[in-house]
Amino acid sequence: DVRAYLVSRFTGKENKRLNRWKTNELIGKLIGRDKEFCLMGDKLVPLLMVPHADETRKEYYIGDSVVNTFFKLLKKRSDRFPKAYINHYSFDSQIATSLIQGSRSEHEVLAWFKAEKLRGAHKLFLPLCLSTHWVLFYVNTKEKKISWLDSNPSSRIMSNNVEQHKILLWFTTFLLPEFGYNDANEWPFVVRTDIPVQKNWVDCGVFVMKYGDCLTHGDFFPFTQNDMVHFRRRIFLDIYRGRLYGKIRQV
């Protein structure tokens, strides 16, 4: 049950660990048991905070290092337990930044990837940040569908058309044909509306991470805005341990 996994209670040991970190000064410390996934404490501080409307967005903002690390942990989990989670590949958010800003050409970005890393992946994830707002670009290679997951309904109708077009063009014209999907320019592109939505202006990064988490199980999202504080703390523990929480399930 994905919902049970998502909102599973913290153990006594986990609560003690969270309480200890909340009372300690994280800034200036390197946090994480696994050297590959260590982050500086100031990047993790927002995960231990409870957002309130009367405080600034910056205090709660989750940066690219946290989002990218979480998606790496998703990949690590699926690689370790290939029968339990859907085979996928996650791109670093810097890919989107390079394409949107034009700091690298489409061919230069394509050259960063080796065929063996993507071949056979059922799902492709690209978290991207547009003016401090996180969204998820998602490709389902098995069903030949491309989706845009935005947790803020109002921003779905804003002028992100240029950014969408640049990312979509790179995938359908450069990346996917490189790996044998020559009809990718015919795949439908959908801005998803059947997803949980945020009720504030600060939890978009958490929504994007949990969209990705749920998509490694299937294609449903059994959570709401009310789960965000729990998710922030769970993600903190995941990064601290260098692995994602949860019992292995067959899907």
Side-chain angles (χ1 to χ4, degrees), residues 152-211:
N152 187 340
S154 63
S155 74
R156 294 176 193 163
I157 59 176
M158 293 174 65
S159 55
N160 291 327
N161 292 338
V162 173
E163 292 84 356
Q164 287 181 6
H165 177 72
K166 287 183 177 180
I167 300 301
L168 183 62
L169 181 67
W170 183 72
F171 271 87
T172 58
T173 305
F174 294 89
L175 181 76
L176 291 170
E178 183 75 11
F179 298 100
Y181 301 105
N182 296 316
D183 60 343
N185 62 341
E186 300 174 3
W187 296 5
F189 174 70
V190 179
V191 178
R192 296 279 293 263
T193 59
D194 59 336
I195 57 177
V197 299
Q198 65 188 98
K199 303 296 184 180
N200 60 25
W201 294 96
V202 299
D203 282 321
C204 52
V206 184
F207 273 85
V208 162
M209 287 185 277
K210 287 302 171 177
Y211 289 154

Side-chain angles (χ1 to χ4, degrees), residues 76-206:
K76 178 183 177 182
R77 182 177 67 182
S78 68
D79 285 347
R80 184 178 180 187
F81 305 105
K83 294 183 179 180
Y85 299 97
I86 294 172
N87 185 13
H88 71 278
Y89 183 85
S90 296
F91 297 88
D92 191 282
S93 62
Q94 184 59 38
I95 298 300
T97 302
S98 297
L99 291 170
I100 291 171
Q101 295 181 352
S103 58
R104 293 288 188 275
S105 71
E106 291 89 345
H107 290 288
E108 287 177 316
V109 175
L110 182 63
W112 294 346
F113 302 99
K114 296 181 179 179
E116 58 269 21
K117 288 188 176 182
L118 280 77
R119 188 165 287 119
H122 178 173
K123 298 183 176 183
L124 305 177
F125 303 138
L126 173 60
L128 61 149
C129 194
L130 304 174
S131 301
T132 72
H133 179 61
W134 285 98
V135 299
L136 180 65
F137 185 91
Y138 158 51
V139 179
N140 187 319
T141 61
K142 188 175 182 179
E143 297 183 2
K144 296 188 176 183
K145 295 179 180 179
I146 303 174
S147 304
W148 182 271
L149 282 71
D150 186 339
S151 58
N152 187 340
S154 63
S155 74
R156 294 176 193 163
I157 59 176
M158 293 174 65
S159 55
N160 291 327
N161 292 338
V162 173
E163 292 84 356
Q164 287 181 6
H165 177 72
K166 287 183 177 180
I167 300 301
L168 183 62
L169 181 67
W170 183 72
F171 271 87
T172 58
T173 305
F174 294 89
L175 181 76
L176 291 170
E178 183 75 11
F179 298 100
Y181 301 105
N182 296 316
D183 60 343
N185 62 341
E186 300 174 3
W187 296 5
F189 174 70
V190 179
V191 178
R192 296 279 293 263
T193 59
D194 59 336
I195 57 177
V197 299
Q198 65 188 98
K199 303 296 184 180
N200 60 25
W201 294 96
V202 299
D203 282 321
C204 52
V206 184

Side-chain angles (χ1 to χ4, degrees), residues 9-77:
R9 293 183 179 181
F10 297 115
T11 65
K13 185 176 181 179
E14 288 173 330
N15 276 318
K16 287 181 180 179
R17 182 169 290 142
L18 287 168
N19 289 333
R20 184 174 72 248
W21 283 119
K22 283 189 288 186
T23 57
N24 287 346
E25 178 58 56
L26 294 179
I27 296 176
K29 295 182 179 179
L30 193 61
I31 309 298
R33 289 178 173 176
D34 189 322
K35 292 183 179 180
E36 181 183 356
F37 302 106
C38 283
L39 291 179
M40 294 304 297
D42 59 316
K43 303 296 184 182
L44 297 172
V45 167
L47 293 173
L48 296 181
M49 301 181 72
V50 179
H52 297 289
D54 58 345
E55 295 177 304
T56 66
R57 177 188 177 95
K58 185 177 180 181
E59 293 180 66
Y60 311 113
Y61 181 74
I62 295 174
D64 57 350
S65 58
V66 171
V67 174
N68 289 322
T69 296
F70 185 81
F71 275 88
K72 289 178 183 176
L73 290 174
L74 286 177
K75 179 60 175 170
K76 178 183 177 182
R77 182 177 67 182

